[in-house]
Amino acid sequence: MIIDGQQRLTSLLLVKRGEIAIRGRKRSIKLFFNPIDEEFELGSKKIQKDPFWFNVTEVLNAEDELELIEERANKYDPALRKNPQVRRNINELRNMFKTYEVHLIQAKLKYSEDFLSTLERISDIFVKLNSRGTRIRMPDLALAILTPKVRKDIGSSFRQEFEEILKELKNKKFPVDEPVLIRLYLAIATGTTRFKEEKLKEKKGQELLDFLSEVKKSINEAVNLLCELGIKSLKFLQSKYLLVPIAYLLYKEVILPGKIISEGFKEELSKWLILASQEKRYGRLESELFEDAKTIEEGFGIKGLMKNLRMREYPSPALDENYENHHITMLLLLYQKLRTKDWDLDKSPRIPEIKEINPEDLHIHHIFPKEFLERRGYGEEWDNVANITIISRSANERIKFRDPKEYLKELYEVDPELLKKHFIPTDKELWDIDRFSEFLKERMRLIINAIEKALRIKVIK
């Protein structure tokens, strides 16, 4: 059992292997290192094509860094083999990883004790290990304090109530895990997402349980609001932690004062959700979540959250790369706003809107099939944002691997809006495989236009 340091060990293993399974789910990372600038970046499409950015997993697993550099020099740029800084810093990176020290402190636990006593002991050890700072990186261990305290004071099970909320969210297709919910609990109960033992221990058992009721109301309102905006599943969000500020904001500005959710609030939240997802907010989880919770606690609301973002305008190059969850979030918000319909013509004359489809039945559809593109040397562009849309499972199976010239024509003849609201160019010449590059550029232009007009977000080059 690792009481403290699990995140660091997991991160090291993930970078070393590139992909690992955590609780049955695959996690992968493409981390790149520039030996000239000595910088690290996650692998965007642009970075992966740059010869001076090395995949860290490949660097760590290479038998000889010289062979790795030579291979890239032959493939991309001969200047790599002539630059001594490249070899020196690649070698230093490998050595730093191999000699990285992990200090082990053995903590003995008596497992013959009852469960609650063991949890309290783990909590005490954890707090002592982190006694030099106020930040604790595993707030779910707050359960080790809350569960025995509530049971002692009022005889109720905090954990049972807590797990009931998780179960209800799972049934709503929003399977939130313990760390997300406990951070929201900490925000509502203590005004901060950082775990502070003294703030929890000073409260009475009934008060702690009452806060959990407020958490239940807040997280349910957040889920309902996201569903209303077209985001009906957690799998469509860039980060599960986006739920925390949304729910906390609703608690402070809607639930506590007894107000309603205005259309203006929804519009501003949609903007924030797109920009926060695009900049991959909560990649620096502790500091960024703390900053946003503090902003909400101090009453600055959604405007304050917008000011906390590094990215307040949408970058157009983000649409010229392989799609990620933040692109799906953006498309779903646009489709909800524009009332975009599905492509299952078997449902005519009442074709449902995308927002009406069960999230489990939504599929990522590649407008130009992979097989078409690979035969013409377009393999890398298959997953480009401008080549994907979101439709139902039945529509996806109906289209399968058909030529875009055929099925787009069929959709257009039924109703041109079926294409326009998916931002498909109506110039039939662009549906030809030989015009694929032009198709991507035109569809990017149409998406940018929609972002600016429908969502009122400025797009920059």
Side-chain angles (χ1 to χ4, degrees), residues 314-440:
Y314 195 89
S316 60
L319 297 173
D320 188 22
E321 56 186 37
N322 289 349
Y323 80 89
E324 296 182 48
N325 265 17
H326 58 86
H327 298 112
I328 304 304
T329 298
M330 178 265 295
L331 286 175
L332 285 172
L333 288 168
L334 279 172
Y335 290 171
Q336 185 275 338
K337 189 84 172 176
L338 298 172
R339 304 191 65 177
T340 302
K341 290 184 180 295
D342 187 30
W343 283 355
D344 187 355
L345 298 183
D346 291 338
K347 300 284 178 64
S348 297
R350 297 185 178 276
I351 299 176
E353 295 178 15
I354 296 297
K355 67 178 182 181
E356 298 172 327
I357 299 170
N358 188 310
E360 293 180 347
D361 290 328
L362 286 177
H363 276 220
I364 305 300
H365 171 69
H366 292 79
I367 301 162
F368 281 76
K370 184 178 182 181
E371 290 76 8
F372 275 61
L373 297 173
E374 286 183 337
R375 286 200 296 266
R376 298 299 180 98
Y378 287 116
E380 291 186 3
E381 285 81 3
W382 177 61
D383 269 342
N384 191 285
V385 179
N387 189 43
I388 63 112
T389 190
I390 305 163
I391 57 177
S392 67
R393 181 200 306 269
S394 55
N396 203 35
E397 290 175 350
R398 186 179 184 275
I399 295 170
K400 290 187 177 178
F401 308 112
R402 292 176 64 190
D403 189 327
K405 286 190 297 184
E406 295 177 5
Y407 79 83
L408 292 178
K409 180 184 177 183
E410 184 181 2
L411 291 166
Y412 183 83
E413 289 174 350
V414 171
D415 187 350
E417 291 296 303
L418 290 175
L419 298 187
K420 290 178 181 178
K421 290 189 176 181
H422 282 265
F423 320 116
I424 305 296
T426 53
D427 180 355
K428 298 179 178 61
E429 298 296 323
L430 297 181
W431 303 345
D432 192 291
I433 186 67
D434 292 326
R435 305 285 294 278
F436 179 62
S437 295
E438 295 170 69
F439 172 89
L440 293 182

Side-chain angles (χ1 to χ4, degrees), residues 160-405:
Q160 185 175 340
E161 296 283 343
F162 187 86
E163 289 180 349
E164 188 62 33
I165 298 174
L166 296 176
K167 184 179 178 181
E168 289 179 13
L169 290 169
K170 185 177 181 180
N171 291 336
K172 285 188 174 186
K173 313 303 179 187
F174 270 82
V176 174
D177 56 16
E178 286 188 1
V180 173
L181 200 62
I182 202 66
R183 286 179 190 276
L184 175 59
Y185 181 88
L186 292 173
I188 289 175
T190 68
T192 178
T193 52
R194 290 180 179 171
F195 173 56
K196 294 185 178 180
E197 183 182 20
E198 65 278 4
K199 282 195 173 186
L200 293 176
K201 283 193 170 181
E202 68 187 18
K203 300 184 185 300
K204 302 295 184 182
Q206 187 58 55
E207 188 179 10
L208 292 171
L209 207 55
D210 289 343
F211 282 131
L212 192 56
S213 295
E214 297 302 310
V215 167
K216 183 177 180 178
K217 292 178 194 174
S218 303
I219 196 71
N220 280 324
E221 282 298 333
V223 168
N224 291 338
L225 179 55
L226 284 172
C227 288
E228 189 178 340
L229 294 174
I231 313 295
K232 290 188 172 184
S233 173
L234 195 62
K235 67 181 180 180
F236 299 134
L237 288 178
Q238 178 66 30
S239 169
K240 60 188 178 183
Y241 289 103
L242 288 162
L243 271 172
V244 177
I246 294 173
Y248 190 36
L249 189 63
L250 288 169
Y251 170 72
K252 297 289 284 187
E253 297 198 353
V254 176
I255 295 173
L256 274 183
K259 295 184 178 180
I260 64 171
I261 302 172
S262 68
E263 291 303 312
F265 181 93
K266 294 176 189 176
E267 184 173 303
E268 290 302 308
L269 184 67
S270 295
K271 289 181 184 178
W272 176 82
L273 191 55
I274 286 176
L275 295 173
S277 300
Q278 176 60 40
E279 78 164 41
K280 299 186 179 177
R281 189 78 174 161
Y282 310 126
R284 297 178 297 176
L285 179 60
E286 296 291 345
S287 58
E288 291 177 342
L289 201 55
F290 172 78
E291 179 184 36
D292 286 347
K294 183 180 179 183
T295 295
I296 296 169
E297 177 67 19
E298 292 176 351
F300 294 107
I302 190 68
K303 290 184 178 178
L305 292 180
M306 289 292 287
K307 287 183 178 179
N308 288 346
L309 295 177
R310 302 185 303 277
M311 183 180 292
R312 298 175 197 173
E313 297 169 324
Y314 195 89
S316 60
L319 297 173
D320 188 22
E321 56 186 37
N322 289 349
Y323 80 89
E324 296 182 48
N325 265 17
H326 58 86
H327 298 112
I328 304 304
T329 298
M330 178 265 295
L331 286 175
L332 285 172
L333 288 168
L334 279 172
Y335 290 171
Q336 185 275 338
K337 189 84 172 176
L338 298 172
R339 304 191 65 177
T340 302
K341 290 184 180 295
D342 187 30
W343 283 355
D344 187 355
L345 298 183
D346 291 338
K347 300 284 178 64
S348 297
R350 297 185 178 276
I351 299 176
E353 295 178 15
I354 296 297
K355 67 178 182 181
E356 298 172 327
I357 299 170
N358 188 310
E360 293 180 347
D361 290 328
L362 286 177
H363 276 220
I364 305 300
H365 171 69
H366 292 79
I367 301 162
F368 281 76
K370 184 178 182 181
E371 290 76 8
F372 275 61
L373 297 173
E374 286 183 337
R375 286 200 296 266
R376 298 299 180 98
Y378 287 116
E380 291 186 3
E381 285 81 3
W382 177 61
D383 269 342
N384 191 285
V385 179
N387 189 43
I388 63 112
T389 190
I390 305 163
I391 57 177
S392 67
R393 181 200 306 269
S394 55
N396 203 35
E397 290 175 350
R398 186 179 184 275
I399 295 170
K400 290 187 177 178
F401 308 112
R402 292 176 64 190
D403 189 327
K405 286 190 297 184

Side-chain angles (χ1 to χ4, degrees), residues 12-231:
L12 289 169
L13 185 62
L14 180 57
V15 171
K16 179 69 166 62
R17 293 185 179 175
E19 180 180 279
I20 59 175
I22 302 175
R23 296 178 183 174
R25 293 180 61 188
K26 284 187 178 181
R27 304 289 185 187
S28 60
I29 191 172
K30 290 183 179 179
L31 184 65
F32 284 75
F33 174 64
N34 187 319
I36 305 298
D37 300 327
E38 298 184 53
E39 293 181 348
F40 291 92
E41 289 284 350
L42 290 175
S44 66
K45 183 178 177 182
K46 182 179 178 181
I47 282 178
Q48 291 184 51
K49 290 184 176 181
D50 190 321
F52 285 89
W53 285 92
F54 287 72
N55 186 307
V56 175
T57 301
E58 292 179 2
V59 169
L60 297 178
N61 294 317
E63 292 185 10
D64 187 338
E65 68 268 20
L66 285 178
E67 289 183 8
L68 181 66
I69 295 170
E70 184 66 25
E71 180 183 333
R72 292 182 69 83
N74 292 334
K75 186 176 180 181
Y76 295 110
D77 191 339
L80 282 168
R81 65 168 68 90
K82 299 177 182 178
N83 192 322
Q85 193 176 1
V86 171
R87 179 184 176 186
R88 182 172 65 250
N89 287 334
I90 288 291
N91 186 53
E92 186 178 348
L93 173 63
R94 284 162 59 86
N95 288 336
M96 286 178 69
F97 189 90
K98 290 178 180 178
T99 60
Y100 182 82
E101 292 187 358
V102 178
H103 297 280
L104 303 179
I105 302 172
Q106 186 176 7
K108 294 183 179 180
L109 293 171
K110 294 181 180 179
Y111 289 95
S112 59
E113 297 175 351
D114 65 275
F115 181 65
L116 294 180
S117 297
T118 303
L119 280 178
E120 285 185 304
R121 175 68 179 137
I122 291 171
S123 176
D124 288 340
I125 293 170
F126 189 72
V127 171
K128 287 174 183 176
L129 287 172
N130 287 274
S131 60
R132 290 191 179 184
T134 57
R135 185 178 80 172
I136 291 184
R137 293 159 293 169
M138 295 171 66
D140 53 324
L141 277 180
L143 287 168
I145 293 173
L146 294 165
T147 299
K149 182 167 180 58
V150 171
R151 186 176 290 281
K152 180 181 178 182
D153 287 0
I154 60 175
S156 298
S157 173
F158 184 94
R159 177 172 281 278
Q160 185 175 340
E161 296 283 343
F162 187 86
E163 289 180 349
E164 188 62 33
I165 298 174
L166 296 176
K167 184 179 178 181
E168 289 179 13
L169 290 169
K170 185 177 181 180
N171 291 336
K172 285 188 174 186
K173 313 303 179 187
F174 270 82
V176 174
D177 56 16
E178 286 188 1
V180 173
L181 200 62
I182 202 66
R183 286 179 190 276
L184 175 59
Y185 181 88
L186 292 173
I188 289 175
T190 68
T192 178
T193 52
R194 290 180 179 171
F195 173 56
K196 294 185 178 180
E197 183 182 20
E198 65 278 4
K199 282 195 173 186
L200 293 176
K201 283 193 170 181
E202 68 187 18
K203 300 184 185 300
K204 302 295 184 182
Q206 187 58 55
E207 188 179 10
L208 292 171
L209 207 55
D210 289 343
F211 282 131
L212 192 56
S213 295
E214 297 302 310
V215 167
K216 183 177 180 178
K217 292 178 194 174
S218 303
I219 196 71
N220 280 324
E221 282 298 333
V223 168
N224 291 338
L225 179 55
L226 284 172
C227 288
E228 189 178 340
L229 294 174
I231 313 295

